[in-house]
Amino acid sequence: MRLEVSPNTRLALLATLALWVVAAFMLIGAGGNWDFVLPFRGAKLAAMLLVAYAIAVSSVLFQTITHNRILTPSIMGFDALYLLIQAVIIFSLGIDPLTETGNPNLRFAIEVVLMTGFACLLFRALFNGAAHSLHLMLLAGIVFGLLFRSLSSFVMRLIDPNEFMVLQDRMFASFNAIQTGLLWVAAIAIGLASLLAWRLRRQYDALTLGREIAVNLGIDYRRTVMLTLALIAVMVSVSTALVGPVTFFGLLVSNLAYVTAGSGKHRYLLPMAVLWGVVFLVGGQVLLERVLALNATVSVVIEFIGGLLFLFLITRKKT
Amino acid sequence: MAASGRAPRTISHAWLALPLLLTAALVALSVAIGAGDFSFAGLLAGAGSTDWQLLVVSRLPRTLALLLAGMSLAVAGLIMQMLVRNRFVEPSTAGTIEAATLGVLALALLAPDTPVFGKMLVAAAFAMAGTFLFLGLLRRIPLRSPYLVPLVGLILGGVIQAVTTFFAFRYDMLQTLHAWTVGDFSGVLRGRYELLWLGAVLAFAAWVAADRFTVAGMGQQFTTNLGLNYKRLTFYGLLIVSAISAVVVVTAGSIPFLGLIVPNVVSILFGDNMRRSVPWVALLGGLFVLACDIIGRLVVYPYEIPIGTVVGIIGGALFLFLLLRGRSREA
């Protein structure tokens, strides 16, 4: 890209595109029934924005702390772990989180703590191994994901064989079956996490230079990494709770952001990734639902494109 | 090779009696468990008794299907590992199973009345295509880390699965698709599993040709030097693997990791001479599947957990163990 476009202009351009997409989602085919259409689509839009935001930010941060542009929380099996924790909680406490009984805040706290714990274990494994074991970590992550999924469907069967199919459906990513009741909790959790991430943005820039340089620059490496892992755990929990697991979405938007942001700074990278997330999710939904009149979940299409991108990335010479 | 074992021990085939006995015990157990009342004493009453009926129509077919599927899938995994020269490859980590499923779905949408044998042929053709796609991708990878190969296969499988899910969703077949993809033997009755014998025949053929596959595992040059046609050998090997995968997918759904775990365990125990290890792989494969099915049936008795889930858990855990064990040795 020889053309000199400042990162701010790039952001503005993409933001305009995202706005157009959002407007298209709200307006195309509404047919004048505003009283009905606006709240209905509004809730769906809000959920998609939250998910795009959570996945984009968590993926970029995860890649920053692992110094790698192929790893994302979902590829390492975090989504699947969240589902497993859900299943085990339902099984052991007998609380059905889908019907809002019990104490949702306490449950959310337990989930985040458990997920952060697992994240730290994986993270330690990542750093104890030599650089060549990236492929091993990826493979282990994907197998962890498969294992967690099998385990949670196993636990679901233990709960009640008759309700199994219903619950199984909930574990399948879909932007059509979003639980609007969760939106507020999700928005608040994400908001708090983002504030913290934004305050740390300069430290992330330093982290991209590598662990040694970051430490030399006076960054408390361990503390930053632990905090970030907790942030990621919150974001993954939120997005998975809203739509279920999507393996390659984070990979797609973060890598697009690296290519298009025109800067390595997180104050550009993070919003850029979020905007790409919005464009893909909302735009994909508009394209599939309204333009092509296809009855398919956009997540499946994203998995397809993301999977191809992943294959391209790992088979490139550099890795 | 990541996990090639210690110095191979020579072990006499007489030891096979041990897993054989164990298998016999599990067969008896598998026949005895179920929601309906059944006792071995009832069999003595003669061919007309209800116990006899239950045995012939339901219990025995299921047990046989489990054994046949386990044996042939494990052998298929072994062949694939030899040909691709990677310990972590098997039909479910190479896109083969997913491609076979796509084939079954395509047929269900386009020509739903196709007989079972035709279904199997189409599934096998798709499985073949998927496997060759995988091999083609592998050829493009410049640096082959042992972990990259199965990784590519898993993602390729995911991409193919996304295509399958897309069409299944579009034509309201998600639930049917789910029923196929999770390996489950609960619907196996007399007349609905016999295709699996074909898988067993193919596995047997692989045994007969075992020495050649061992040679092919040494690489193209070595094989050609010995006067064998490497390309044709590879083709036949993958044909057998694809056909076995297709047979199992059509009759029972996918059973993940089986072809990966069993050959690895056998290799750790007995080394890499394929002709020697095929009987072990087959027998332990059958044993493993039988045991997993019995577990799945007992945990929530009288309901049951599909075997695909049980094997997914046990196999996934064992796979991780193999992965991380291999690494600690490397380091």
Side-chain angles (χ1 to χ4, degrees):
Chain A
M1 257 179 261
R2 288 296 111 213
L3 198 67
E4 283 298 323
V5 184
S6 81
N8 278 324
T9 321
R10 288 161 187 256
L11 264 183
L13 281 174
L14 193 58
T16 322
L17 180 61
L19 272 179
W20 272 104
V21 166
V22 166
F25 177 79
M26 291 302 281
L27 299 180
I28 292 181
N33 291 322
W34 298 114
D35 293 343
F36 169 71
V37 166
L38 283 184
F40 178 72
R41 288 191 182 176
K44 203 166 150 183
L45 179 71
M48 282 196 284
L49 293 180
L50 277 177
V51 168
Y53 183 92
I55 291 181
V57 171
S58 62
S59 297
V60 171
L61 292 185
F62 193 73
Q63 292 176 348
T64 298
I65 58 172
T66 54
H67 306 293
N68 191 288
R69 291 187 169 184
I70 297 180
L71 297 176
T72 69
S74 358
I75 290 176
M76 299 308 293
F78 281 29
D79 294 16
L81 176 71
Y82 175 80
L83 292 181
L84 176 60
I85 293 174
Q86 289 278 343
V88 171
I89 288 179
I90 301 173
F91 180 60
S92 51
L93 302 181
I95 300 164
D96 184 358
L98 307 171
T99 54
E100 298 296 324
T101 48
N103 187 340
N105 299 329
L106 177 71
R107 210 185 55 240
F108 197 71
I110 297 176
E111 284 157 11
V112 169
V113 168
L114 285 174
M115 284 193 50
T116 316
F118 174 77
C120 295
L121 277 180
L122 257 184
F123 195 68
R124 274 186 48 165
L126 264 173
F127 271 88
N128 288 344
H132 73 268
S133 64
L134 165 69
H135 293 140
L136 172 69
M137 287 318 296
L138 277 172
L139 190 58
I142 286 185
V143 177
F144 265 122
L146 291 172
L147 180 63
F148 292 152
R149 271 177 220 209
S150 292
L151 267 174
S152 40
S153 71
F154 178 79
V155 175
M156 288 296 182
R157 282 245 159 168
L158 294 182
I159 297 167
D160 177 5
N162 301 319
E163 283 181 8
F164 167 69
M165 281 314 289
V166 183
L167 289 164
Q168 179 84 5
D169 283 345
R170 307 246 182 180
M171 303 177 115
F172 184 75
S174 161
F175 294 97
N176 287 320
I178 288 162
Q179 299 148 47
T180 37
L182 274 172
L183 280 179
W184 282 111
V185 189
I188 293 167
I190 284 186
L192 289 176
S194 317
L195 269 179
L196 196 55
W198 190 249
R199 283 188 49 192
L200 288 172
R201 67 187 181 282
R202 298 210 174 77
Q203 311 205 13
Y204 293 136
D205 295 341
L207 278 186
T208 41
L209 299 174
R211 181 183 179 156
E212 281 75 23
I213 301 181
V215 172
N216 279 343
L217 287 172
I219 283 166
D220 187 345
Y221 188 79
R222 276 197 86 80
R223 193 175 144 264
T224 314
V225 166
M226 293 300 289
L227 258 177
T228 311
L229 278 175
L231 290 181
I232 291 170
V234 172
M235 301 232 170
V236 169
S237 314
V238 167
S239 73
T240 316
L242 282 175
V243 294
V246 257
T247 316
F248 294 117
F249 186 58
L251 180 89
L252 194 65
V253 295
S254 61
N255 279 283
L256 276 173
Y258 297 136
V259 175
T260 55
S263 161
K265 286 189 179 153
H266 281 78
R267 57 174 293 209
Y268 301 115
L269 282 180
L270 289 173
M272 207 71 182
V274 172
L275 287 174
W276 275 119
V278 172
V279 169
F280 262 86
L281 260 193
V282 184
Q285 199 77 34
V286 171
L287 204 65
L288 280 180
E289 257 183 36
R290 309 277 150 69
V291 180
L292 301 175
L294 277 182
N295 176 20
T297 49
V298 70
S299 65
V300 170
V301 181
I302 289 174
E303 290 299 277
F304 180 71
I305 301 173
L308 290 180
L309 175 74
F310 187 79
L311 277 179
F312 172 74
L313 283 176
I314 56 172
T315 51
R316 249 183 353 174
K317 281 206 174 64
K318 243 180 74 187
T319 53
Chain B
M1 290 261 142
S4 62
R6 304 152 223 165
R9 254 169 272 164
T10 20
I11 187 158
S12 124
H13 279 329
W15 282 98
L16 279 169
L18 205 69
L20 261 176
L21 274 177
L22 202 55
T23 309
L26 285 187
V27 164
L29 191 59
S30 166
V31 166
I33 311 169
D37 280 330
F38 175 83
S39 74
F40 284 104
L43 288 183
L44 298 174
S49 70
T50 50
D51 286 308
W52 189 259
Q53 283 273 320
L54 191 61
L55 177 75
V56 173
V57 175
S58 161
R59 299 288 170 79
L60 206 54
R62 176 170 189 160
T63 308
L64 279 174
L66 286 163
L67 274 178
L68 292 173
M71 292 170 102
S72 47
L73 267 185
V75 173
L78 178 66
I79 301 173
M80 215 153 174
Q81 285 164 25
M82 285 282 167
L83 293 178
V84 183
R85 305 176 73 184
N86 187 299
R87 286 245 167 269
F88 299 120
V89 169
E90 67 123 13
S92 78
T93 61
T96 309
I97 298 273
E98 286 80 2
T101 313
L102 179 62
V104 176
L105 179 77
L107 211 58
L109 289 175
L110 299 174
D113 297 331
T114 317
V116 181
F117 194 70
K119 260 190 206 164
M120 197 216 91
L121 283 182
V122 172
F126 270 77
M128 221 38 207
T131 316
F132 277 104
L133 195 61
F134 171 66
L135 292 180
L137 271 176
L138 285 194
R139 226 168 271 135
R140 303 189 48 139
I141 301 173
L143 182 102
R144 265 202 185 183
S145 112
Y147 310 116
L148 186 56
V149 175
L151 194 59
V152 168
L154 280 170
I155 309 300
L156 177 68
V159 170
I160 298 175
Q161 204 178 357
V163 175
T164 313
T165 314
F166 179 83
F167 284 107
F169 194 94
R170 179 127 173 68
Y171 295 99
D172 261 339
M173 301 213 19
L174 263 188
Q175 207 164 8
T176 326
L177 183 72
H178 184 78
W180 294 331
T181 44
V182 175
D184 186 4
F185 285 83
S186 61
V188 169
L189 293 173
R190 185 171 59 184
R192 292 183 54 183
Y193 81 102
E194 280 76 359
L195 217 52
L196 284 169
W197 286 105
L198 191 61
V201 169
L202 288 169
F204 186 76
W207 189 18
V208 174
D211 287 339
R212 288 157 200 242
F213 289 130
T214 309
V215 172
M218 309 278 187
Q220 177 154 19
Q221 277 202 322
F222 188 82
T223 313
T224 318
N225 280 344
L226 287 184
L228 290 169
N229 188 332
Y230 178 77
K231 284 227 165 90
R232 197 185 293 165
L233 257 182
T234 317
F235 181 80
Y236 285 139
L238 293 180
L239 187 67
I240 291 181
V241 170
S242 304
I244 289 177
S245 312
V247 166
V248 176
V249 166
V250 168
T251 40
S254 80
I255 307 175
F257 298 124
L258 175 71
L260 195 129
I261 303 305
V262 176
N264 270 297
V265 168
V266 171
S267 154
I268 291 167
L269 292 176
F270 309 124
D272 284 336
N273 182 335
M274 185 168 158
R275 177 179 290 247
R276 287 201 84 80
S277 51
V278 168
W280 284 98
V281 168
L283 201 53
L284 291 181
L287 195 65
F288 184 61
V289 170
L290 207 52
C292 286
D293 186 64
I294 291 176
I295 293 173
R297 281 197 271 173
L298 288 182
V299 173
V300 285
Y301 184 87
Y303 304 106
E304 57 178 89
I305 291 165
I307 189 169
T309 308
V310 180
V311 177
I313 294 166
I314 299 177
L318 282 172
F319 185 26
L320 280 171
F321 172 74
L322 286 172
L323 271 184
L324 303 174
R325 189 193 70 106
R327 191 176 78 132
S328 65
R329 181 179 301 164
E330 228 173 79

